[in-house]
Amino acid sequence: MKTVLITGSSRGIGRAAALCFARNGWNVVIHGFRHPEKLKSLEAEIHQLGVSCLSFIGDVCQPDFLSDMIQTSIDHFGTIDCLVNNAGISKIGLFTDTTMKDWRQILDTNLTSALAASHAVLPHMIRNHSGKIINVSSVWGNEGASCEVLYSVSKGGINAFTKALAKETAPSNIQVNAVAFGMIDTDMNDEFSEEDLAMIREEIPADYIASPEEAGSMIFHVACAPAYMTGQIVTFSGGWY
């Protein structure tokens, strides 16, 4: 049985992805930080599906925590076949109003954590000559977004990291891809008003905002893609960007 580890999986896209993997018979390692009660609820739901699950609560900005989580998961399940770097935060506002503290927090959470988790899991995957790393990105990593400059930078970094690491790990049969999501109906959009969301929806050719379940299913499909697919930034946006 295969095992997936998903950071930032107590809610939103990460939660939906965890349930999708579980429904398809994978062991699931879930992680959260600020919502431990939601993480425990997800763990119980996964167990009800008849698959094994481990849960961890900790800060992905701490590389030692990530290393310990990954090693404990490998010790328990014997393998991590897929790592999904999903943990992320955003901050909406003028660039001139941001601080260096904002910069460090967003970069550490969105980008450095993905580098650290990948660095920790890769020796195991290289020994097995097999593995998938999926990085959760955004269309703003491709296009950039006004009033989300720091978030856009972090996701642009994710895209570059994905492409570079994929080239390095391809000879070891390890595929690295990213999914650049458009507008998904998650708590990250709470800063938008109903009017803002309506305006965004009008811009989306598919004429709706995708559910977390659709996003989670997309991550699972990338995890199951043929080995020849690597180094790709797969856009999932309803034709928006």
Side-chain angles (χ1 to χ4, degrees):
M1 185 177 292
K2 291 186 176 182
T3 300
V4 61
L5 188 156
I6 307 172
T7 64
S9 42
S10 61
R11 56 184 184 156
I13 293 173
R15 181 183 187 279
L19 288 170
C20 186
F21 278 93
R23 291 189 185 103
N24 283 276
W26 289 52
N27 300 318
V28 183
V29 182
I30 56 176
H31 155 265
F33 184 35
R34 293 183 175 86
H35 303 279
E37 71 290 346
K38 293 184 178 180
L39 192 72
K40 288 299 178 184
S41 174
L42 174 60
E43 182 179 17
E45 192 170 348
I46 289 172
H47 281 142
Q48 289 174 359
L49 293 171
V51 298
S52 297
C53 177
L54 289 181
S55 67
F56 294 88
I57 297 172
D59 186 357
V60 294
C61 296
Q62 303 297 323
D64 288 345
F65 164 73
L66 288 170
S67 296
D68 291 344
M69 175 172 65
I70 287 168
Q71 189 57 55
T72 300
S73 301
I74 292 171
D75 291 343
H76 184 83
F77 289 118
T79 184
I80 292 177
D81 301 282
C82 180
L83 167 67
V84 180
N85 289 309
N86 171 71
I89 57 174
S90 67
K91 181 179 177 63
I92 297 174
L94 293 172
F95 175 67
T96 50
D97 292 335
T98 60
T99 65
M100 289 306 297
K101 181 180 179 181
D102 295 330
W103 167 259
R104 287 189 291 270
Q105 185 180 27
I106 289 177
L107 265 289
D108 283 350
T109 305
N110 295 6
L111 180 56
T112 306
S113 70
L115 272 68
S118 301
H119 190 270
V121 81
L122 271 171
H124 168 74
M125 290 183 172
I126 291 169
R127 283 194 299 272
N128 287 349
H129 200 70
S130 176
K132 306 264 188 179
I133 295 175
I134 301 173
N135 298 315
V136 172
S137 187
S138 164
V139 292
W140 298 145
N142 302 332
E143 304 291 335
S146 173
C147 295
E148 290 190 71
V149 172
L150 303 189
Y151 180 78
S152 299
V153 169
S154 72
K155 294 305 184 179
I158 281 288
N159 292 352
F161 171 60
T162 298
K163 293 177 181 179
L165 186 62
K167 292 178 179 179
E168 188 169 319
T169 61
S172 297
N173 191 36
I174 297 164
Q175 294 78 49
V176 185
N177 293 289
V179 182
F181 287 108
M183 184 60 69
I184 310 297
D185 186 15
T186 68
D187 293 344
M188 192 175 281
N189 299 326
D190 287 347
E191 295 185 69
F192 292 104
S193 67
E194 288 298 323
E195 182 180 357
D196 290 334
L197 292 173
M199 290 175 62
I200 292 170
R201 177 175 172 171
E202 288 179 1
E203 296 176 357
I204 300 171
D207 195 33
Y208 73 97
I209 294 172
S211 68
E213 288 71 28
E214 282 183 278
S217 177
M218 184 65 202
I219 290 173
F220 179 74
H221 283 302
V222 173
C224 297
Y228 205 62
M229 178 178 161
T230 193
Q232 302 305 300
I233 314 300
V234 182
T235 301
F236 188 82
S237 68
W240 186 28
Y241 280 101

